[in-house]
Amino acid sequence: MTGQVIVDITMSLDGYVTASGADVEHGLGVDGEPLHDWVFAGTPDDGVILDETSARTGAVIMGRRTFDVVDGPQGWNDAIGYGADRNAPPPVFVLTHHPPRTWRLGDRFTFVTDGPRSALRQARAAAGEKDVVVMGGGDVCHQFLAEGLVDLLHLHVAPIVLGAGTRLFPAEDGRRLRLERVDVVSTPAAHHLSYRVLS
């Protein structure tokens, strides 16, 4: 039995996963931190969602821009990051055209240069019976959805309108997706929406 492929990402009410000005020092964009209030200052219900997702995750997929943020000086460390509270954090597969020569965070990262399907094959092999989580950025999450590679879409909708930034869904025409609602949990910090991707 294999786990599911899950896009898991936070966005604003107007569909942005970062504010404007996202870069290595501003991973969520300039003043975009309120997007992740549910992660760092949420309720116990927010914490349960985070803990359950982390426990089910066998491998993570991210894009190169997200990797540059998490590997940067203000990024992940032993206390902060995906699986930081676990003895064996999940392996991470980074989609990129040009792997870095060196990086700070060690051998849990594998750089994949031949596309989303290759990254998914490798992540599934590493995850075993656990889930593969596609965590960002927005472009990578959208690629996986558009190519029909996703079983579940978990959206954490923060109570903020950013007005600009990085979109999850592009403004131009894209693939239509049919979804079936699986779960909804609402807290003051976010609406947590889970959908099964039907087509």
Side-chain angles (χ1 to χ4, degrees):
M1 179 177 177
T2 59
Q4 300 186 90
V5 180
I6 302 172
V7 162
D8 190 298
I9 195 163
T10 302
M11 73 177 191
S12 64
L13 282 171
D14 52 345
Y16 294 101
V17 297
T18 76
S20 296
D23 59 21
V24 172
E25 291 192 14
H26 305 91
L28 293 173
V30 176
D31 297 326
E33 290 79 9
L35 280 170
H36 282 184
D37 280 352
W38 75 272
V39 174
F40 296 107
T43 69
D45 287 339
D46 295 300
V48 166
I49 289 168
L50 198 62
D51 291 345
E52 287 178 348
T53 300
S54 179
R56 290 194 320 261
T57 301
V60 173
I61 296 173
M62 67 174 62
R64 176 61 188 272
R65 283 181 292 216
T66 301
F67 169 78
D68 287 343
V69 171
V70 303
D71 193 56
Q74 298 178 44
W76 292 359
N77 56 42
D78 289 342
I80 297 174
Y82 209 112
D85 58 343
R86 296 162 63 187
N87 290 332
V92 179
F93 296 84
V94 181
L95 276 167
T96 182
H97 295 295
H98 305 288
R101 289 197 174 104
T102 62
W103 57 94
R104 179 176 60 83
L105 289 172
D107 60 3
R108 67 183 281 205
F109 290 85
T110 299
F111 299 92
V112 181
T113 59
D114 51 349
R117 291 177 187 275
S118 175
L120 182 54
R121 279 194 303 273
Q122 295 177 60
R124 275 190 161 141
E129 295 183 359
K130 290 191 169 186
D131 295 333
V132 173
V133 174
V134 183
M135 64 162 280
D139 180 61
V140 168
C141 289
H142 181 260
Q143 283 182 58
F144 273 80
L145 287 164
E147 291 193 27
L149 303 176
V150 177
D151 300 308
L152 292 173
L153 171 61
H154 290 178
L155 289 177
H156 312 282
V157 182
I160 186 171
V161 174
L162 291 174
T166 305
R167 291 181 176 275
L168 175 57
F169 301 106
E172 65 272 10
D173 291 349
R175 179 180 178 210
R176 178 178 293 189
L177 296 173
R178 291 179 58 245
L179 307 171
E180 176 186 23
R181 190 184 72 195
V182 175
D183 194 22
V184 176
V185 176
S186 293
T187 73
H191 292 301
H192 304 281
L193 311 173
S194 296
Y195 297 97
R196 182 172 291 108
V197 181
L198 301 178
S199 63

